[in-house]
Amino acid sequence: MSCMCLYTLQDEPGESESVLNCTQIPRRRPCLRDFQQAWPANSTGGFYHFRFRIPDEECGFVWQDITNPEEALPVSDSGCIYAKVLRLDR
């Protein structure tokens, strides 16, 4: 089983939250390390910060920072992971 991750690169030219990027993670319940290994920009180097969308009763959803490579990522009811990625080394 695999999981689809929809993401946007924050503060990058040509990126928009209305048109998301997509990558496939070959695990149904992936952790941050799985996402980092499957993520296309992994091969280009750089330092990144990752936020993932989690459900919130009051607001609908909020963005949670995940830094521990072994932490499980929040998978939506539809089976997708939603992420915001910020490049830190620019």
Side-chain angles (χ1 to χ4, degrees):
M1 259 340 217
S2 65
C3 186
M4 188 172 308
C5 183
L6 303 171
Y7 67 93
T8 186
L9 294 165
Q10 293 180 266
D11 301 328
E12 293 290 328
E15 290 289 314
S16 167
E17 288 189 33
S18 62
V19 181
L20 299 173
N21 301 293
C22 180
T23 191
Q24 194 91 8
I25 302 174
R27 293 188 68 185
R28 185 153 175 78
R29 292 287 179 192
C31 64
L32 178 57
R33 183 183 318 281
D34 298 322
F35 174 75
Q36 291 170 318
Q37 290 173 348
W39 188 45
N42 185 38
S43 63
T44 62
F47 296 100
Y48 298 89
H49 180 75
F50 302 95
R51 289 190 165 141
F52 296 90
R53 192 169 89 176
I54 61 169
D56 180 78
E57 287 185 24
E58 190 173 320
C59 300
F61 68 88
V62 294
W63 295 99
Q64 176 183 347
D65 298 350
I66 294 181
T67 57
N68 178 349
E70 302 307 318
E71 187 170 344
L73 300 181
V75 179
S76 71
D77 291 340
S78 64
C80 291
I81 295 170
Y82 296 91
K84 286 185 179 184
V85 181
L86 179 63
R87 186 164 187 164
L88 300 175
D89 60 344
R90 288 197 180 172

